[in-house]
Amino acid sequence: MPRLDQSIQMLARGYAWLPDLRRAAGRDTVRTRLMVRPTLGLVGAGGARFLYDERNVRRSGALPEPVVSTLFGHGAVHTLDGEPHRVRKAMFVDLLMGEGIGDLVDRVTTAWDEAAQRWAQQPQVVLMDAAAEVLTRGVCDWAAVPVSEDELPALARDLTTLVDGFATGAPRHWRARRARQRREAWLAGIVEEVRSGRRSVPAGSVLDVVAGHRDSDGELLEPRVAAVEVLNVIRPTVAVCWFVGFTAHALHHWPAIRERLRTGEPAFATAVAHEVRRFYPFAPFIGGRSPRAVEWEGETVPAGAMVLLDLFGQNHDPELFPEPYAFRPERFLDGEGAGAAVRRIGPWELVPQGAGDPRTGHRCPGEDITVALLSALAVRLARLTYTLPPQDLEISLSRIPARPASGVVLTAVRPG
Ligand code: HEM
């Protein structure tokens, strides 16, 4: 096992860190050391199956404290295993993978259409910030989280800050910790109001379901943990603004895509959403710790080792995605032209939001929502008229999470 810790290299190299280690080792599985722990870095469908098997990898106690204290929250579903995970996850699956998605998309697209009228009155719009506000408005209304128009920009900023600060020692990390403290305290108070009957919320809404949820031990969630889980719905929904920013980047570099997107052809819009999620760097890798000594492809690591799956690397694996650095939504379509359909994607193949079965494993339960929102907003973005003034649109792979540096500044915006 290598003796030198790679934590600093990981933070410095970002998304290129595991791919570089693999290239240097000349193989898919790499052994290294992270946060002083022996670490196994995996990629590919086989590696993903290995990682999602709880006999090999557990999440509890495995995620680094700086990540839990910013991105996920203490006590979050991400940190559970076994029966406690199954019961908590079922709540998310019911809330996020059912019929309610259409209502969420309607609320977000209505908020976008209203905001686009206002953008036309402004000298410039920072698209990622503006999209974050649109998404915050839509998801908070859908989830029954009360937020006034005045409070909206600050809430949108806090929710994006939680995402922006999880993988760095820079000031944005400390901002993220403070934002989490603030928002957990606020939402825990609201959960208590709902439970005591001082606040009424629509039956079946996110706030109603989380406030009333009973864990595998039959107990209600601590108010603070309930707040964590409400945030685990609204925070990643608002994070779709990153993909909106990446979509604008793609439309700029591959203008032909704009023309076909504008038609609103649903299969093509979905294919664009998949290609944006595949092509652009967002979640770098996922991982956990081995409960026992485990072996994969001839490499053995001791109990307690970290095991990571390189999501970004897998999404650029030429075996799975030929010419992976070409942005080609058509790779997700069967057939040509208006008659094309979205092709079936295997559970271990496209992994921007994890792999496997979201109902039983840790795969993101918000993937349907992400694709539905992103395809609807991508069509709207393609129909918007705007100018991109001179700005830094570069996406650095060494910054986690990556983003177009400028946030995508638009001028002369005219609704489509
Ligand atoms: C888990 C990515 C959107 C809710 C995850 C995981 C990833 C991910 C990589 C971890 C998978 C694993 O550990 O195996 C993303 C990305 C998104 C997104 C890139 C785009 C913005 C959403 C949305 C929601 C959501 C919209 C909810 C509305 C969750 C939850 C989990 C999760 C609750 C924890 C699942 C578990 O541990 O069982 N997501 N996600 N995500 N995501 Fe997402």
Side-chain angles (χ1 to χ4, degrees):
M1 182 59 67
R3 305 252 306 270
L4 282 182
D5 193 86
Q6 284 270 328
S7 303
I8 297 199
Q9 284 85 340
M10 187 269 280
L11 288 175
R13 307 280 304 132
Y15 299 86
W17 171 65
L18 273 175
D20 282 355
L21 284 181
R22 275 202 305 279
R23 243 189 315 276
R27 54 196 305 245
D28 276 354
T29 301
V30 289
R31 291 201 328 176
T32 178
R33 204 172 265 279
L34 202 58
M35 291 170 296
V36 304
R37 288 186 183 282
T39 298
L40 200 58
L42 315 176
V43 72
R49 280 179 209 272
F50 175 86
L51 182 139
Y52 277 90
D53 183 336
E54 274 192 355
R55 288 170 301 179
N56 300 327
V57 177
R58 302 266 168 89
R59 308 298 179 102
S60 165
L63 302 175
E65 189 278 335
V67 178
V68 179
S69 295
T70 53
L71 193 62
F72 300 139
H74 291 268
V77 62
H78 308 70
T79 66
L80 305 177
D81 296 304
E83 188 64 4
H85 176 255
R86 201 187 57 74
V87 172
R88 186 85 66 83
K89 186 65 181 278
M91 173 187 81
F92 282 98
V93 168
D94 287 349
L95 280 172
L96 305 176
M97 297 183 67
E99 290 166 3
I101 295 183
D103 183 23
L104 173 59
V105 174
D106 286 347
R107 289 173 191 267
V108 169
T109 50
T110 303
W112 174 286
D113 294 341
E114 286 168 9
Q117 301 294 332
R118 293 194 298 273
W119 300 339
Q121 314 300 317
Q122 295 168 214
Q124 68 165 47
V125 174
V126 179
L127 177 66
M128 288 180 65
D129 297 346
E133 290 188 16
V134 162
L135 288 154
T136 303
R137 176 81 281 157
V139 73
C140 286
D141 290 351
W142 179 72
V145 170
V147 53
S148 69
E149 276 309 297
D150 288 351
E151 294 163 336
L152 190 80
L155 177 58
R157 246 189 334 269
D158 275 355
L159 295 172
T160 51
T161 297
L162 294 177
V163 179
D164 211 36
F166 79 94
T168 171
R172 63 191 154 97
H173 178 71
W174 303 98
R175 277 200 293 277
R177 284 182 184 260
R178 288 195 297 274
R180 175 161 287 285
Q181 291 290 331
R182 188 162 51 237
R183 295 307 173 178
E184 281 184 10
W186 170 62
L187 285 167
I190 292 175
V191 166
E192 287 183 303
E193 287 172 13
V194 171
R195 285 181 180 163
S196 68
R198 276 175 290 143
R199 176 185 292 278
S200 60
V201 285
S205 60
V206 171
L207 204 48
D208 175 55
V209 169
V210 176
H213 171 78
R214 288 186 186 271
D215 255 351
S216 57
D217 58 5
E219 299 292 328
L220 291 173
L221 302 176
E222 293 285 330
R224 196 78 184 206
V225 175
V228 161
E229 299 299 36
V230 173
L231 280 173
N232 278 328
V233 172
I234 62 175
R235 183 258 316 152
T237 304
V238 173
V240 171
C241 70
W242 259 262
F243 285 144
V244 173
F246 291 141
T247 304
H249 185 274
L251 295 180
H252 178 55
H253 286 280
W254 296 279
I257 289 164
R258 180 187 299 272
E259 294 316 309
R260 191 162 172 194
L261 250 186
R262 288 173 78 98
T263 66
E265 181 194 336
F268 187 68
T270 302
V272 168
H274 287 325
E275 184 67 341
V276 167
R277 296 185 312 125
R278 183 197 72 80
F279 183 83
Y280 286 98
F282 198 14
F285 35 76
I286 52 162
R289 289 232 299 258
S290 51
R292 58 187 175 91
V294 292
E295 192 193 317
W296 173 248
E297 290 200 326
E299 299 286 356
T300 308
V301 289
M306 295 274 292
V307 183
L308 303 178
L309 178 70
D310 180 1
L311 303 180
F312 180 72
Q314 180 157 337
N315 286 335
H316 294 81
D317 176 349
E319 305 259 310
L320 292 168
F321 305 102
E323 296 181 55
Y325 291 94
F327 186 89
R328 270 211 330 253
E330 295 79 8
R331 68 174 81 241
F332 291 108
L333 291 177
D334 275 333
E336 308 261 314
V342 181
R343 90 167 161 77
R344 198 192 148 274
I345 305 169
W348 307 98
E349 191 183 335
L350 175 69
V351 296
Q353 296 176 237
D357 182 350
R359 291 166 200 278
T360 52
H362 279 274
R363 186 183 190 132
C364 178
E367 216 165 342
D368 295 349
I369 285 181
T370 305
V371 173
L373 287 175
L374 183 57
S375 47
L377 296 185
V379 171
R380 279 172 169 72
L381 184 64
R383 288 178 177 166
L384 208 61
T385 310
Y386 55 82
T387 306
L388 287 180
Q391 60 188 292
D392 183 0
L393 281 174
E394 192 178 312
I395 298 167
S396 165
L397 285 184
S398 60
R399 185 197 202 274
I400 299 177
R403 67 199 295 274
S406 63
V408 189
V409 178
L410 314 179
T411 54
V413 179
R414 296 284 168 270

